[in-house]
Amino acid sequence: MSQLPPLSNTGFLRWIWRQLTSMKTALVLLFLLALASVPGSIYPQRGVDPIKVRDYIANNPSWGPTLDRFGFFEVYSSPWFSAIYLLLFISLIGCVVPRVGVHFRAMRSAPPAAPKLLDRLAGTRTFTTDKDPAEVLNVAANALRQRKWRVVMGPQGAASWVAAEKGYLRETGNLVFHLALLFVLVAIAIGGLFGWKGNVIVREGSSFSDTLTQYDAWGGGRYTDAQDLPPFSFTLDKFTVDFERGVAQRGAPRAFEAEMSYKTDPSAPSQRALVEVNEPLVIGGAKVFLVGHGYAPIVTVTDKFGVQIFNDAVPFLPQDGMFTSTGVVKIPDSTPRLGLQALFLPTAALDEIRGPHSTFPGPDDPALFMSAWKGDLGLDSGTPQSVYRIVTDKMSKIGLGQLKIGESWKLPDGSGTVTFVGFKRWASFQIASDPGKELALVFVTLSILGLSLSLFIRRRRVWVKVATLDGVTVIQLAGIMRTSTFDDEDIGALSEDLDGVEQALMAAEVIRGNLEEER
Amino acid sequence: MSPESLARMSNMAIYSSMLVLVGAMFAFAASFAGGRRKPADVVVTTEVGAGGTAVITRTELSVVEPGRRAANIGISLSWLAFALLLAGVVLRGIWAERAPWGNMYEFSITAALSVLGVYLLANTRVDLRWLGLFVVIPVLLTLGVAVTVLYTEAAQLVPALKSYWLVIHVFAAIVCAGAFTLAAATAGLSLVRDRAEKRGNVEGFLSARIPDAERLRALTNKTLAFAFPLWTFAVVAGAIWAENAWGRYWGWDPKETWAFITWVVYAAYLHARSTAGWRGNKASIIAIAGWAAFLMNYFGVNFLASSLHSYAGVGS
Ligand code: HEM
């Protein structure tokens, strides 16, 4: 940003463009990108955990909403984050595309003629010979060609030269790398626009078919057709888990396995599959991932006449690593309506500080703790209800109960009896389709290849000059590195190149040995 | 062999390795303190000027050469420590019956192994004996933290970690840990040396004993040119693993975010070294910043953030 911007319109635009595509701007934009990524790792993010964001804003009423307004809970889709990476990629296009043309011409043009004085170059070597200059140059040129150098011969005559260049792939690699990054972004965008993903909890023995209404949560890109999801369905036949029982990391999960049967469409034959973490089920262009699991206590409720009015396995949500789980049971068929707010403990324990909680995630000693409510469950209000919460504003508490498997609790007001029959397990699945991910992988691979070429290949030139002075033919070898980084080993690589030419000249008996060497 | 004796042997190998490293540290320190003044060292640097012509600069600098014999002892002890540490890591893997990268204790001992390994291998190609002290100290610190704070009994892996992508991803990341640490050391030393050179006085205790700033920068550059593509690969392997485990290849989880930040900072470093006005100290500072971002990912995120990647196994 050395000069003041010119005042005319086109001049000003060109100035802006030049600034935007300068290396310095790219550097500053890279810094900004790194800096702008930081808040997303500090504040909870809606895309990752919307509940945490809600709680955070509720707990910080003073600045929570302000942070929200400036996108701190959706950093990676916020206008400022997008602006930085879009500018970076515009800069990248402006910077790299013209270089493609330049490089293309450079690859097709001949290496430049030898400079007048080779002596000034590092590692110049000088020899004398009694052979014919043309023969010397032919030997050198052939040796270089054999080593895949691009070679040009100078004009015929007593004083002539060979010029050679190598390492064009460095720039090619650099261009491939930058352009591939651009296409990775495109692939990510394709995934975002056309992809979708949803989450669903499925109990053992229950089925799921891939339509919008069956999902607990679903989100799609702008161009995703939500009415046209692949028509597969599956049943969770059995879910097995295993937890660490040793002292180290006691309770940590060790294995999850979901035995499933699935159909790619309603008329297809049923197939079986074992879905594990890291082993998703691939089906109809989508993938079904096992992401979580929990317990669904089976509860029956009979009314005061002994008629069963509820019998179901209700999924509860685990609250900690030991699977202390919370959930609610809503019984709409009773009068007045009943609701249970409950805690399911796979291995129950009770203490004064923590109250009822679980001490191991496996079902060693299951118990159900609950409070019973009666009144208006809000089912008629028309607003959608969470299946994990009861709004008790318009309800009154009946009492507190505590059950082991097989036990029943007669509600204190005599309105019915609750029985804890047992439990099923549930598994939660993330079902996702990302049509851009293969493309992203292809371009990421390409970019790593390009990057490696760009970092490991050295672009260099070598000249061999022959001149006859006072009847003596003098040969000079020299070269330069054309890389712009400080890399003192480059010099070593260049001297290896010169060694190669020197050995070829010795092998052809053009020279006998090194008469004068200067490093 | 019983699991208990395998565990005991693994721990013993790691403790012996630390003991040997303390010896190496003293040897390197002695070599440093007992340096001999060298008459003159010729430094040749080449730079491509306008039109592709090379500009050669020769600088003659008087430096102190660190004591050779002590440094050689340091290197030998470092190799011994490396072998012991390698045995400790391998025994740990045999004990756990899996790749020994399941918790932070295991990451840390392997990272220490990597720092030492990258240094010793590099030393076979270029003489890096003078750098020994600056490598052995962080390795000892890492091991010390590992055996005191992070130690956990070997346990099986949580299911999300049972994937061969884990082995690939973590291996690449751990090698990068070694290279990034080495690069940060040479970058930091280049700042010290550069200040001395600018003042026109390289006789200070530290600056007289290390190579000139340009060479230190070249070493930083070389190490990072090797580490950056590997880090890119490590991040991509992690993304493939995440796609298999969680159904998305990138979710801006804190661990992923800091891996990205580290990547961007090192990309900025690679740019800086070919941007006018940024090649010198500024590039070195960026290299150190990249290492800080890497450490943040390694320690900060594991301890502070709640993350899908919270498998550190610390304190449980
Ligand atoms: C998405 C953002 C970018 C990333 C991650 C990135 C990354 C990199 C990396 C890792 C290198 C080192 C490879 C090498 O040295 O050959 C590099 C080199 C280079 N980049 Fe970028 N780059 C980005 C954007 C840009 C932009 C916007 C420009 C134009 C101003 C640019 C121009 C260059 C140039 C000219 C080189 C070659 C430097 C050399 O010869 O060493 N890059 N880039």
Side-chain angles (χ1 to χ4, degrees):
Chain A
M1 334 267 159
S2 42
Q3 286 168 355
L4 285 176
L7 292 175
S8 78
N9 275 343
T10 53
F12 183 70
L13 284 179
R14 201 170 303 136
W15 179 84
I16 291 268
W17 182 245
R18 245 201 335 271
Q19 296 307 319
L20 187 60
T21 57
S22 79
M23 277 297 264
K24 242 181 218 144
T25 307
L27 202 52
V28 169
L29 287 171
L30 280 170
F31 282 134
L32 283 178
L33 186 64
L35 211 61
S37 308
V38 174
S41 74
I42 298 171
Y43 298 109
Q45 298 292 296
R46 282 216 172 80
V48 178
D49 197 342
I51 297 170
K52 246 196 203 147
V53 174
R54 200 189 56 206
D55 293 350
Y56 187 93
I57 296 176
N59 294 337
N60 298 282
S62 48
W63 34 293
T66 312
L67 285 176
D68 196 18
R69 186 149 351 110
F70 289 105
F72 277 79
F73 302 113
E74 280 146 322
V75 165
Y76 308 104
S77 50
S78 68
W80 41 275
F81 189 81
S82 313
I84 294 171
Y85 76 76
L86 287 177
L87 273 179
L88 186 58
F89 275 92
I90 291 172
S91 166
L92 189 150
I93 294 169
C95 185
V96 170
V97 169
R99 275 168 56 203
V100 173
V102 171
H103 182 53
F104 187 70
R105 282 190 296 278
M107 290 225 295
R108 287 154 43 105
S109 63
K116 281 231 165 58
L117 290 171
L118 291 185
D119 304 337
R120 288 187 37 208
L121 302 182
T124 301
R125 300 165 188 203
T126 311
F127 313 95
T128 55
T129 182
D130 42 17
K131 293 273 163 42
D132 178 38
E135 187 190 335
V136 174
L137 291 179
N138 274 332
V139 169
N142 284 337
L144 286 163
R145 279 199 196 97
Q146 255 171 26
R147 280 159 223 261
K148 307 250 154 56
W149 289 69
R150 167 164 312 168
V151 178
V152 175
M153 309 276 290
Q156 298 243 313
S160 187
W161 44 264
V162 167
E165 185 158 353
K166 193 174 169 158
Y168 296 86
L169 275 179
R170 180 189 184 89
E171 180 72 358
T172 312
N174 187 292
L175 296 172
V176 165
F177 166 71
H178 284 89
L179 292 175
L181 282 189
L182 196 64
F183 284 102
V184 170
L185 194 70
V186 171
I188 292 171
I190 289 176
L193 292 174
F194 295 96
W196 53 268
K197 78 178 175 196
N199 287 79
V200 62
I201 282 182
V202 183
R203 285 163 293 175
E204 273 179 315
S206 300
S207 301
F208 165 83
S209 65
D210 189 30
T211 52
L212 213 49
T213 50
Q214 294 237 334
Y215 281 99
D216 299 332
W218 191 90
R222 182 171 298 177
Y223 299 116
T224 311
D225 185 355
Q227 302 313 317
D228 195 25
L229 298 177
F232 61 82
S233 60
F234 61 78
T235 305
L236 177 61
D237 297 325
K238 188 164 189 287
F239 187 72
T240 329
V241 291
D242 189 18
F243 298 101
E244 176 69 49
R245 290 198 176 263
V247 180
Q249 299 182 7
R250 184 175 156 80
R254 288 297 169 240
F256 313 135
E257 276 177 9
E259 286 170 42
M260 323 248 280
S261 36
Y262 67 95
K263 289 180 180 176
T264 49
D265 66 71
S267 57
S270 177
Q271 288 165 278
R272 301 186 62 81
L274 190 66
V275 176
E276 297 173 75
V277 181
N278 286 327
E279 303 277 341
L281 170 65
V282 182
I283 186 170
K287 277 183 167 181
V288 180
F289 300 90
L290 177 59
V291 289
H293 67 101
Y295 292 96
I298 305 170
V299 173
T300 61
V301 180
T302 52
D303 66 10
K304 54 188 166 220
F305 308 110
V307 179
Q308 194 174 76
I309 49 175
F310 185 86
N311 178 9
D312 204 0
V314 187
F316 276 33
L317 298 182
Q319 304 297 314
D320 59 28
M322 296 301 160
F323 280 73
T324 302
S325 307
T326 58
V328 301
V329 182
K330 296 180 185 180
I331 301 131
D333 295 340
S334 58
T335 32
R337 283 180 172 156
L338 291 172
L340 305 172
Q341 266 180 337
L343 212 51
F344 174 83
L345 313 170
T347 302
L350 192 58
D351 70 34
E352 251 134 58
I353 301 158
R354 298 183 52 197
H357 63 279
S358 177
T359 55
F360 189 73
D364 291 352
D365 182 20
L368 198 62
F369 285 69
M370 67 204 126
S371 59
W373 298 76
K374 68 179 169 186
D376 182 3
L377 277 170
L379 297 177
D380 305 323
S381 65
T383 48
Q385 292 267 313
S386 164
V387 294
Y388 301 108
R389 277 169 25 143
I390 296 182
V391 180
T392 52
D393 297 353
K394 295 182 193 155
M395 303 187 80
S396 58
K397 200 177 208 167
I398 303 172
L400 297 172
Q402 173 181 344
L403 296 175
K404 298 262 172 191
I405 287 180
E407 293 177 349
S408 293
W409 175 41
K410 199 156 187 300
L411 295 177
D413 68 344
S415 60
T417 304
V418 179
T419 307
F420 177 25
V421 177
F423 63 87
K424 283 183 174 177
R425 293 181 191 272
W426 55 259
S428 63
F429 295 96
Q430 170 145 308
I431 305 176
S433 163
D434 181 344
K437 66 174 187 281
E438 287 81 11
L439 210 60
L441 185 60
V442 166
F443 282 108
V444 144
T445 310
L446 209 58
S447 82
I448 295 180
L449 288 179
L451 182 63
S452 307
L453 291 181
S454 159
L455 288 171
F456 299 135
I457 287 186
R458 299 183 177 92
R459 179 106 171 251
R460 57 236 199 250
R461 287 185 184 146
V462 160
W463 292 284
V464 182
K465 253 175 123 168
V466 182
T468 308
L469 290 170
D470 305 329
V472 183
T473 301
V474 178
I475 308 172
Q476 269 191 316
L477 301 183
I480 59 162
M481 299 307 299
R482 288 212 57 211
T483 53
S484 53
T485 52
F486 36 58
D487 198 337
D488 58 351
E489 282 201 12
D490 285 354
I491 307 294
L494 193 57
S495 83
E496 273 172 35
D497 292 331
L498 297 181
D499 283 348
V501 181
E502 184 179 327
Q503 275 155 19
L505 292 176
M506 266 164 60
E509 295 189 342
V510 170
I511 55 175
R512 255 170 246 109
N514 208 342
L515 294 186
E516 188 193 331
E517 185 170 328
E518 192 189 282
R519 296 206 179 207
Chain B
M1 203 179 301
S2 77
E4 291 74 37
S5 61
L6 273 175
R8 220 174 312 117
M9 277 169 58
S10 165
N11 293 351
M12 232 151 69
I14 285 162
Y15 281 116
S16 334
S17 161
M18 290 175 71
L19 214 63
V20 175
L21 274 176
V22 172
M25 182 176 73
F26 280 120
F28 283 127
S31 138
F32 225 73
R36 211 178 316 120
R37 195 156 297 271
K38 252 198 326 192
D41 192 25
V42 181
V43 179
V44 183
T45 47
T46 332
E47 210 173 310
V48 179
T53 54
V55 179
I56 305 152
T57 326
R58 282 155 198 267
T59 330
E60 303 207 351
L61 296 166
S62 145
V63 289
V64 175
E65 180 179 84
R68 277 234 184 104
R69 166 140 354 130
N72 286 343
I73 293 174
I75 291 287
S76 307
L77 288 177
S78 300
W79 275 112
L80 180 60
F82 176 79
L84 285 166
L85 199 50
L86 182 65
V89 171
V90 169
L91 285 170
R92 175 93 185 175
I94 297 173
W95 174 27
E97 295 174 343
R98 56 176 166 73
W101 304 321
N103 51 51
M104 271 194 74
Y105 169 72
E106 295 172 352
F107 290 146
S108 301
I109 55 174
T110 319
L113 181 74
S114 162
V115 176
L116 206 55
V118 171
Y119 165 69
L120 287 170
L121 275 183
N123 184 57
T124 60
R125 306 190 54 193
V126 229
D127 182 1
L128 292 179
R129 284 175 293 188
W130 51 271
L131 189 60
L133 195 58
F134 305 96
V135 172
V136 168
I137 289 175
V139 168
L140 261 175
L141 284 176
T142 309
L143 286 175
V145 171
V147 299
T148 51
V149 184
L150 304 175
Y151 186 78
T152 32
E153 298 293 323
Q156 288 309 302
L157 295 178
V158 299
L161 295 187
K162 285 183 191 156
S163 157
Y164 55 89
W165 283 109
L166 163 79
V167 180
I168 297 170
H169 164 72
V170 177
F171 180 74
I174 286 177
V175 175
C176 286
F180 288 160
T181 307
L182 212 61
T186 49
L189 290 176
S190 84
L191 293 177
V192 173
R193 174 74 186 199
D194 189 81
R195 219 179 50 185
E197 282 173 15
K198 290 231 172 77
R199 256 202 261 109
N201 172 11
V202 293
E203 304 289 310
F205 179 76
L206 180 56
S207 49
R209 286 166 171 81
I210 52 180
D212 64 294
E214 190 63 17
R215 182 163 155 66
L216 286 165
R217 285 194 282 262
L219 282 169
T220 312
N221 181 38
K222 188 122 210 116
T223 317
L224 290 180
F226 156 77
F228 185 76
L230 193 62
W231 181 245
T232 313
F233 172 77
V235 173
V236 172
I240 295 174
W241 171 31
E243 204 271 333
N244 260 315
W246 302 313
R248 86 290 184 291
Y249 58 84
W250 197 265
W252 294 108
D253 179 271
K255 199 103 186 167
E256 293 165 354
T257 302
W258 279 94
F260 175 76
I261 294 171
T262 307
W263 187 78
V264 172
V265 173
Y266 280 120
Y269 167 82
L270 290 178
H271 269 213
R273 40 151 236 185
S274 39
T275 306
W278 283 79
R279 296 177 65 248
N281 288 345
K282 285 183 189 162
S284 300
I285 290 169
I286 302 173
I288 296 169
W291 185 60
F294 180 83
L295 284 188
M296 176 65 201
N297 203 13
Y298 191 70
F299 290 110
V301 174
N302 279 355
F303 283 108
L304 305 178
S306 89
S307 147
L308 279 173
H309 290 76
S310 292
Y311 42 72
V314 176
S316 58

